[in-house]
Amino acid sequence: MPDPLSITVAGAGIGGLTAALCLSDAGHAVTLVERRTGFSEVGAGLQLSPNASRVLASLGLAAALRRAGSEPPGVVVRSLKSGSRIGGVRLGEAARERYGAPYHVIHRADLQTLLLDAVRSRPGIRLLVGREVTGLAERADGIAITVESAGGGRGETLEADLVIGADGLRSRLRGHLDDRPVAPARMAAWRAIVPRDVVPEALRGGETGLWLGRGRHVVHYPIGNGERVNVVAIVPERQGDDGWGRLGEPAMLRAHFRDATPELAQLLGLPDSWLVWSLADRPTARPMARGRLALLGDAAHPMLPFLAQGAALAVEDAATLAACLAGGDVPKALAAYDAARRPRAKRVQKAARANGRVYHAGGFAALCRNLVMRRLGPDGMRDRYGWLYGWQPDGNGAHGRTRTDTPEGPGF
Ligand SMILES: Cc1cc2nc3c(=O)[nH]c(=O)nc-3n(C[C@H](O)[C@H](O)[C@H](O)COP(=O)(O)OP(=O)(O)OC[C@H]3O[C@@H](n4cnc5c(N)ncnc54)[C@H](O)[C@@H]3O)c2cc1C
């Protein structure tokens, strides 16, 4: 067993929290630095597919996930204009059987809370909040970051064997490895949560609803023990802005869905307020890790949300990084991490972009999509994701692998 390392993780989002847990459970001493002072997550839901839930289960979080989240029996795909059913994806018990781990939906705040509780229960993790990472200096035998408290004040230097940049889409640390900029995706995600009992009766089931139309789509699913429904509408946007939490005018959203089928229009008319997030894209960092600095999650490979994989890939990164470090030599371990994760992240990014095109198709392309979905049926659609959901950390450590590989199609 190699000596335990001293590791600093910058950013306590889903990726940073999971990395801290994986690394601490592997025996390393972890300092987790977060610039926010509180952990109140904005209201929104998250889908957590088996490739991620299996990692969280290995951290002892399966029961907490079951309590806080739910397992939709499937996805129902419909046309947003006509309301007719296009297809579906079978999940629930069938996803567990096929992939050996559940497909959860959960409120982001609930996931963040259960990860944070686990972090606080590990004596090997030191959590520093209200501190922003502002600089990095690497030497042959170590690495140091500078942190400043959120309200100004004196900076402090933290020495470590390894630094992990889990600092999100606009990562400061990414610039040390790859400075290709963030590009606006010219789309926005409008997100809201409504009580389930006011939702149109036909949409109150446990399934995830996916409504497709030219240039836009809507997803909804129950969260918070089924008492509320998370609604996300993706629409075109000319000019984006940075970050979360811009308030959206409900009438503007309704205007995008004037032609929607009455049930969907009713659902979209329910929220008094929407939070709007401009979507952005950026290539997978090249490299994702070098020397004593590694990136993970959105810092390394932001994902467009058309495959619901951003957080899931951050969780995969965290497990892989911990496995790679089992050998002890940091630069070698990070080279192995880069080799294991970069192709996977690029493949998922590509598939997410393709899914966006398929979801938003119109005319003849939409007809072809609908035909393929009908032909595949709910089990065929689920199995199409075998390469994605079947991922698990390699039993030997370093390289993640896919247990159930299936050819990659044009997306969905
Ligand atoms: C509409 C939408 C729906 C989505 N749905 C899903 C889904 O269903 N399933 C899924 O898997 N993914 C989904 N995602 C993607 C997912 O939300 C992100 O990929 C994921 O949260 C990224 O986690 P992260 O930890 O890498 O980054 P973040 O969550 O951005 O965390 C980064 C953290 O670093 C901190 N930080 C930043 N800079 C510094 C600094 N200099 N010093 C210290 N701290 C710093 C930040 O405050 C933050 O806490 C969705 C995204 C969108 C837009």
Side-chain angles (χ1 to χ4, degrees):
M1 170 82 184
D3 288 344
L5 299 167
S6 146
I7 300 174
T8 303
V9 182
I14 291 162
L17 289 165
T18 310
L21 291 170
C22 292
L23 294 163
S24 166
D25 286 5
H28 304 296
V30 181
T31 302
L32 180 54
V33 184
E34 169 55 49
R35 73 175 169 200
R36 288 182 293 165
T37 45
F39 281 90
S40 60
E41 258 289 351
V42 284
L46 197 77
Q47 306 185 56
L48 212 53
S49 47
N51 46 324
S53 67
R54 105 169 17 99
V55 171
L56 299 182
S58 74
L59 294 168
L61 299 173
L65 267 178
R66 247 191 332 270
R67 277 195 301 276
S70 58
E71 285 178 63
V75 182
V76 178
V77 188
R78 300 181 186 88
S79 152
L80 68 78
K81 266 171 98 167
S82 70
S84 62
R85 189 182 167 117
I86 299 172
V89 186
R90 201 180 318 280
L91 297 173
E93 204 46 50
R96 263 178 192 272
E97 270 167 28
R98 177 84 160 90
Y99 301 116
Y103 193 112
H104 283 296
V105 290
I106 187 168
H107 195 297
R108 291 178 74 95
D110 293 337
L111 178 60
Q112 177 114 30
T113 302
L114 71 86
L115 290 171
L116 201 53
D117 286 349
V119 159
R120 290 194 166 123
S121 75
R122 306 293 205 269
I125 304 177
R126 183 166 67 124
L127 177 61
L128 300 177
V129 295
R131 319 275 176 92
E132 177 155 11
V133 174
T134 52
L136 177 113
E138 195 169 344
R139 300 181 309 269
D141 60 343
I143 186 163
I145 55 165
T146 321
V147 296
E148 282 172 24
S149 44
R154 257 172 11 113
E156 140 185 35
T157 302
L158 302 177
E159 302 279 346
D161 297 311
L162 160 67
V163 166
I164 298 171
D167 48 345
L169 173 69
R170 292 175 203 283
S171 165
R172 188 184 277 259
L173 293 180
R174 176 173 163 138
H176 292 269
L177 296 175
D178 181 336
D179 59 5
R180 285 174 292 169
V182 172
R186 311 224 177 281
M187 280 176 279
W190 288 59
R191 315 172 95 174
I193 292 180
V194 290
R196 195 177 186 180
D197 54 10
V198 300
V199 164
E201 190 139 3
L203 308 184
R204 271 185 219 165
E207 303 89 9
T208 295
L210 171 61
W211 304 76
L212 305 182
R214 189 194 286 266
R216 66 232 142 105
H217 77 273
V218 176
V219 182
H220 56 84
Y221 46 82
I223 53 168
N225 294 323
E227 284 156 14
R228 288 168 293 162
V229 174
N230 179 65
V231 188
V232 183
I234 307 285
V235 296
E237 170 182 75
R238 254 190 234 123
Q239 194 158 12
D241 73 7
D242 305 355
W244 283 92
R246 169 162 56 99
L247 278 179
E249 176 52 48
M252 264 179 76
L253 198 261
R254 285 199 298 272
H256 281 286
F257 293 94
R258 241 182 242 125
D259 56 349
T261 190
E263 273 165 357
L264 179 62
Q266 202 185 328
L267 175 72
L268 296 176
L270 291 172
D272 297 327
S273 66
W274 291 86
L275 280 175
V276 184
W277 188 6
S278 296
L279 301 182
D281 203 355
R282 194 180 208 182
T284 297
R286 195 178 53 228
M288 270 179 61
R290 187 174 50 213
R292 293 179 178 275
L293 172 64
L295 302 173
L296 63 74
D298 278 8
H301 44 62
M303 295 280 159
L304 289 172
F306 306 127
L307 211 51
Q309 284 297 311
L313 268 252
V315 169
E316 285 188 9
D317 288 341
T320 308
L321 187 51
C324 288
L325 285 165
D329 180 313
V330 174
K332 259 197 204 152
L334 295 201
Y337 168 74
D338 181 55
R341 293 308 296 163
R342 202 142 43 88
R344 168 84 174 165
K346 282 168 74 173
R347 185 179 183 187
V348 180
Q349 276 189 323
K350 192 171 151 215
R353 291 182 195 117
N355 240 22
R357 288 192 293 276
V358 170
Y359 280 5
H360 294 176
F364 183 65
L367 287 176
C368 295
R369 170 199 68 204
N370 298 354
L371 191 70
V372 174
M373 281 195 184
R374 278 194 195 106
R375 278 213 163 157
L376 283 170
D379 289 321
M381 286 287 287
R382 182 206 52 222
D383 293 349
R384 208 178 170 78
Y385 294 111
W387 66 274
L388 188 56
Y389 302 156
W391 181 92
Q392 47 191 315
D394 192 325
N396 299 322
H399 301 276
R401 69 193 161 90
T402 299
R403 194 183 51 174
T404 46
D405 217 343
T406 47
E408 197 175 330
F412 305 131

